């Protein structure tokens, strides 16, 4: 079992075959799926740790769950923030700072 840790410190056990872009886990009921889903925010996924390896700027793409006998199989799809998205954010921050300076 691997451990997934969110930015806010919330931890979940995930299946061994999980990767940061495709996480699978087994829960006992759909109520637990809601708890997992509530953590899938851009803010709470700025820094993730999966089995001791840290990942930054992970973007949640989707979650699905299906009944599998007495358990529920959960699949979470993520992607890494693209270079273009990172550059755009930096440019926007600089533009905002320049606008503030121009107002002074």
């Amino acid at each position: 079992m691997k451990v997934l840790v969110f930015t806010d410190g919330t931890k979940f056990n995930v299946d061994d075959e999980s990767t940061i872009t495709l996480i699978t886990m087994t829960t006992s009921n759909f109520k637990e799926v809601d708890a997992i889903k509530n953590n899938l925010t851009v803010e709470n996924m700025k820094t993730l740790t999966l089995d001791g390896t840290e990942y930054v700027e992970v973007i949640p793409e989707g979650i699905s769950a299906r009944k599998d006998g007495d358990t529920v199989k959960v699949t979470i799809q993520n992607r890494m923030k693209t270079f273009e998205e990172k550059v755009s954010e930096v440019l926007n921050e600089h533009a905002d700072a320049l606008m503030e300076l121009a107002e002074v």
Side-chain angles (χ1 to χ4, degrees), residues 7-8 11-12 22-23 30 33 45 53 55 61 64 71 87 94:
T7 302
D8 69 359
K11 297 179 183 181
F12 291 101
L22 187 62
I23 298 169
F30 282 99
V33 176
M45 296 178 73
T53 302
Y55 299 89
E61 291 283 295
S64 63
T71 62
V87 168
H94 288 306

Side-chain angles (χ1 to χ4, degrees), residues 8-42:
D8 69 359
T10 303
K11 297 179 183 181
F12 291 101
N13 290 326
V14 300
D15 298 337
D16 285 332
E17 64 271 8
S18 294
T19 64
I20 200 63
T21 55
L22 187 62
I23 298 169
T24 60
M25 59 181 77
T26 305
T27 65
S28 59
N29 57 56
F30 282 99
K31 184 176 181 179
E32 291 179 39
V33 176
D34 288 337
I36 295 164
K37 183 181 167 191
N38 291 337
N39 282 282
L40 300 180
T41 65
V42 172

